[in-house]
Amino acid sequence: MQEVTVSSRRSPIKVSSAIPVQTLSGADMSQLGIQNMADAVRRFAGANVRDYGGIGGLKTVSVRNMGAAHTAVSYDGAPVSNCQAGQIDIGRFSLDNVAMLSLAVGQNDDMLQAAKLYASAAVLGIRTERPVFDDDRSSAFRLMVKGGSFGYVSPSFRWWQKLSDRVVTSVDGSFLRADGNYPFKLVNGKYVTTERRNNSAIDSWHGEANMYYSLPEGGELQLKGYYFYSKRGLPGAVTLYNPVSTETLWDKNAFMQVKYSRRFSPKWEFKVQGKYNYGWNRDREYGPQFTGGEYNAVHKQNEYYLSATGLYRPLPELNVAFAQDGLINTLRSTMIDCPYPDRYTSLSALSIRWQRRLFTVTGTLVGTYITETVKEGDSPHDIKRLSPGLSVNVQPWQDEMLFFRAMYKSTFRTPSFNDLYYFRLGNRTLRPEKADEFDVGVTWSRSFFPAMDYMSVTLDGFYNDVTDKIVAFPTTYAWRMVNFGKVHVTGLDVTLATALSFTRGLKLILSGAYTWQRAVDLSDRDAKTYKDLLPYTPVHSGNASGIVETPWLNVGYSIVAVSKRYYMSENIPVNEIAGYAEHTLTLSREIDLGTCHLKLLGELVNLTDCQYDVIKFYPMPGRSWRLTGTFIF
């Protein structure tokens, strides 16, 4: 029988999952004109991205307002960490080689994941492209050049090579530069002036190499090498009569990771991962407030990571998995009174899933043990904790894609090295910040007529209880990190997606997400901020997008909107930040040149030239454009 290939579009919403999972494919991100990782994550319901402005500004993500330190980032299955800051700057990840981006609240359905991902409140998963060869070819190349407003230029390349029937490799590299000096309006009472952002330039390099080896006895071995370098100005806050910033940040990050996976039998699967990660950054700033007129600090991090996970199926309806992680983290810094800490972490995760017809129950138990040594002063107390989790998923009717789900998960985040040891600010007696997550939802998907590929809807109500929150608190002589906060977060996430396929190659893809939430401070009944909204937590946020695919031209349009919020703890008018809506229009066309393929993409970002702040005093760019040419051969 002659081989037949059937292609279809998969729904971006996982309706059968017991926990909320959202995805974005690389193709969809391109057609929607998504420029960077932060723009992509903003499309996920429940995700709150803190963006300090411009291409080089720091960008962190918090899910359902539990804080960025509670969100793990996974890069091709291996956790990404930063023990110094406790949170990941997602702005350093390129989208050029990303095949799929996902956001899971709780943990995803992969029982072979690392224990560190089991231990996190939410996981942002980044999966890069894997080599695929057509027409018996043994190699494939891609060249891409991007250019746009504010001096933006970014060339990149990709090389896929098949070395044998069992070995394939890929190499990716990219460069980015921009001056970032975009205009903005400065309001001072009745006076409005046009200013330009300064100290926003960035130069960055990214390189990555992968090898995939299919072992003769079954299973696969994957090797990855990664390098990132950037030099960027940190534009700083725009305050009246003082718009100048002199701070510069250099970053270097390199890691090597290896993964071996094998299915020994229908009952046994195994995966082991190892990783070495090196991080280096330098922070320099000039000003009269510093001794000698200059601040200059260098920080170095090392991480040694090993993870092993086994999966056993004693019965067809019962899966049991156990994951064990071991980590060593070190920090060396030129800062005053750096104690040179070494952190040793053991994470154990037991997961049991029972599935009987239309009913699935998954239980997890994560055990954590952390101990630290320092060269100067007292060591923090050891951390020993068990964290349970439970999820239930019910499908009432077998012939209907309708699911009801519920989840509970207990997690915590360990104080970062900065929380514990930062000069004058650190506190070595800090306790872990605890969080309890609750989620109840319903998901539904079906097709109503032949032209409809799918229509998927999810509705999730959630409640988060965060205690022993780690905050900077004023003391007699200086600010100091303490366990003071208590936060309750109540909210609702709604997502919708549909795709329609018409005749003559015409397709329409629509999607949207909406989040309502109230994250309130319950730390001190006598404080003015009691039951006030947390800073930078909008009550309403959402996005909508549409893509029209035709044989001649593809058109994408998207809107991201956020309601008003407050940048200080006290919810008074003077602390209010206005809401905004950002519109993006994209046009793309693919041209077949025989053995080669050319794709042209034009983007108009912030179509209405809306001026807004994500972080107060850090204005975002107005209207901008970008052109991209991609040549595949």
Side-chain angles (χ1 to χ4, degrees):
M1 180 179 291
Q2 191 174 17
E3 181 179 303
V4 177
T5 301
V6 178
S7 301
S8 64
R9 180 177 293 274
R10 184 175 59 182
S11 168
I13 302 174
K14 294 188 68 174
V15 296
S16 61
S17 174
I19 49 95
V21 179
Q22 303 168 73
T23 62
L24 268 176
S25 70
D28 289 341
M29 286 186 282
S30 175
Q31 291 186 342
L32 289 174
I34 296 176
Q35 301 191 68
N36 53 54
M37 189 66 67
D39 288 341
V41 175
R42 288 163 64 192
R43 265 66 177 184
F44 292 137
N48 182 20
V49 177
R50 290 198 176 187
D51 192 330
Y52 290 82
I55 298 173
L58 299 175
K59 298 166 177 61
T60 61
V61 57
S62 170
V63 178
R64 294 182 173 178
N65 278 293
M66 285 183 292
H70 286 273
T71 303
V73 176
S74 166
Y75 197 80
D76 281 340
V80 180
S81 63
N82 185 334
C83 275
Q84 180 188 354
Q87 55 192 14
I88 305 300
D89 176 17
I90 62 174
R92 71 179 178 89
F93 295 109
S94 170
L95 291 178
D96 291 345
N97 66 333
V98 172
M100 183 69 68
L101 190 66
S102 64
L103 181 66
V105 179
Q107 71 266 341
N108 59 40
D109 291 331
D110 180 15
M111 296 187 70
L112 279 173
Q113 65 184 321
K116 191 171 183 180
L117 302 182
Y118 274 111
S120 303
V123 178
L124 175 65
I126 304 170
R127 181 165 61 84
T128 60
E129 292 178 313
R130 184 165 176 155
V132 177
F133 300 95
D134 298 324
D135 302 325
D136 297 325
R137 297 181 60 181
S138 61
S139 62
F141 300 88
R142 184 187 70 184
L143 298 177
M144 181 186 299
V145 179
K146 303 177 184 177
S149 302
F150 321 126
Y152 174 79
V153 177
S154 178
S156 66
F157 77 93
R158 184 189 70 192
W159 174 25
W160 290 347
Q161 184 66 48
K162 181 189 293 186
L163 301 180
S164 70
D165 291 338
R166 295 188 178 276
V167 181
V168 296
T169 62
S170 68
V171 178
D172 292 86
S174 64
F175 168 73
L176 183 152
R177 67 88 51 201
D179 56 50
N181 294 331
Y182 52 87
F184 67 94
K185 293 181 180 178
L186 182 62
V187 180
N188 179 15
K190 64 179 182 179
Y191 299 103
V192 179
T193 59
T194 299
E195 309 288 340
R196 275 195 171 270
R197 205 74 165 107
N198 70 86
N199 197 39
S200 296
I202 179 173
D203 292 282
S204 72
W205 296 85
H206 158 251
E208 187 173 324
N210 298 272
M211 185 190 76
Y212 307 88
Y213 176 42
S214 298
L215 299 171
E217 67 275 13
E220 184 179 66
L221 180 67
Q222 298 182 22
L223 300 175
K224 178 185 289 289
Y226 175 96
Y227 178 77
F228 172 81
Y229 166 85
S230 75
K231 176 187 177 183
R232 53 185 165 177
L234 299 183
V238 174
T239 54
L240 296 178
Y241 314 115
N242 185 27
V244 177
S245 174
T246 62
E247 188 173 7
T248 304
L249 183 67
W250 289 262
D251 279 297
K252 295 179 185 178
N253 178 228
F255 65 76
M256 289 286 296
Q257 66 186 45
V258 57
K259 179 171 67 175
Y260 167 74
S261 59
R262 183 178 177 186
R263 184 173 185 176
F264 293 94
S265 71
K267 289 190 174 184
W268 284 99
E269 289 186 56
F270 180 73
K271 181 169 71 174
V272 61
Q273 299 182 85
K275 182 176 180 178
Y276 167 70
N277 182 78
Y278 171 77
W280 178 94
N281 69 74
R282 176 189 176 193
D283 188 4
R284 186 190 68 191
E285 185 175 5
Y286 299 104
Q289 69 271 34
F290 305 116
T291 303
E294 179 183 357
Y295 169 80
N296 200 340
V298 176
H299 312 278
K300 297 179 182 179
Q301 296 184 68
N302 287 281
E303 179 180 83
Y304 308 88
Y305 173 77
L306 184 64
S307 172
T309 309
L311 174 65
Y312 176 55
R313 299 181 179 90
L315 299 171
E317 63 271 13
L318 182 64
N319 292 345
V320 180
F322 182 78
Q324 178 63 51
D325 290 9
L327 299 93
I328 301 175
N329 296 93
T330 68
L331 174 66
R332 303 296 181 258
S333 174
T334 59
M335 291 189 63
I336 300 175
D337 293 337
C338 176
Y340 301 99
D342 296 334
R343 174 176 291 177
Y344 302 88
T345 303
S346 171
L347 292 166
S348 305
L350 175 65
S351 179
I352 301 176
R353 177 177 299 162
W354 180 74
Q355 186 171 6
R356 183 70 172 177
R357 294 182 181 177
L358 308 179
F359 187 77
T360 304
V361 180
T362 304
T364 60
L365 184 64
V366 179
T368 305
Y369 175 72
I370 300 175
T371 186
E372 292 187 25
T373 62
V374 293
K375 291 187 177 180
E376 297 181 9
D378 297 328
S379 300
H381 296 299
D382 292 347
I383 297 175
K384 302 175 183 179
R385 184 175 173 85
L386 290 175
S387 304
L390 179 68
S391 63
V392 179
N393 194 30
V394 180
Q395 184 183 10
W397 302 282
Q398 187 173 7
D399 57 349
E400 186 72 32
M401 290 293 289
L402 175 67
F403 298 85
F404 295 92
R405 62 191 182 192
M407 181 199 71
Y408 163 74
K409 189 172 185 181
S410 173
T411 61
F412 71 96
R413 75 101 163 171
T414 308
S416 68
F417 284 156
N418 282 351
D419 295 333
L420 295 169
Y421 309 115
Y422 202 88
F423 181 58
R424 294 184 179 177
L425 187 71
N427 180 1
R428 304 189 190 192
T429 64
L430 286 174
R431 300 182 299 276
E433 182 179 298
K434 307 174 187 67
D436 289 310
E437 299 176 87
F438 301 85
D439 183 277
V440 177
V442 57
T443 67
W444 180 52
S445 180
R446 69 173 303 176
S447 176
F448 290 96
F449 47 88
M452 177 178 283
D453 296 340
Y454 62 83
M455 188 184 79
S456 303
V457 181
T458 69
L459 178 66
D460 283 276
F462 59 88
Y463 171 76
N464 299 328
D465 182 5
V466 183
T467 57
D468 279 341
K469 194 168 181 63
I470 299 173
V471 296
F473 197 80
T475 61
T476 305
Y477 300 105
W479 289 75
R480 191 167 177 81
M481 305 304 296
V482 298
N483 292 106
F484 179 77
K486 182 178 178 64
V487 173
H488 283 180
V489 184
T490 306
L492 180 71
D493 283 345
V494 182
T495 67
L496 184 145
T498 185
L500 305 173
S501 297
F502 304 101
T503 58
R504 298 181 181 178
L506 180 64
K507 294 184 178 180
L508 174 63
I509 302 101
L510 301 173
S511 64
Y514 167 76
T515 296
W516 173 90
Q517 63 181 348
R518 287 189 60 83
V520 295
D521 181 6
L522 301 178
S523 304
D524 186 356
R525 289 181 176 271
D526 298 326
K528 292 182 179 180
T529 59
Y530 184 68
K531 289 190 175 182
D532 276 1
L533 297 175
L534 294 182
Y536 298 108
T537 58
V539 175
H540 306 281
S541 61
N543 65 84
S545 64
I547 301 172
V548 179
E549 297 181 357
T550 74
W552 316 279
L553 187 70
N554 297 334
V555 181
Y557 194 89
S558 65
I559 305 172
V560 176
V562 172
S563 69
K564 72 174 184 180
R565 57 257 188 250
Y566 301 91
Y567 74 95
M568 298 290 284
S569 298
E570 194 171 359
N571 294 174
I572 55 178
V574 70
N575 292 335
E576 185 177 303
I577 306 178
Y580 66 89
E582 184 183 82
H583 301 246
T584 299
L585 173 67
T586 64
L587 301 174
S588 64
R589 176 173 170 79
E590 298 185 13
I591 303 173
D592 190 358
L593 302 175
T595 59
C596 303
H597 195 73
L598 177 63
K599 181 177 180 180
L600 302 175
L601 173 68
E603 307 165 36
L604 194 57
V605 183
N606 198 353
L607 186 64
T608 60
D609 200 23
C610 172
Q611 180 174 318
Y612 64 95
D613 293 1
V614 175
I615 301 297
K616 185 66 173 177
F617 306 121
Y618 287 81
M620 298 293 289
R623 185 186 297 114
S624 62
W625 59 271
R626 186 170 69 171
L627 297 176
T628 302
T630 305
F631 189 54
I632 302 174
F633 58 99

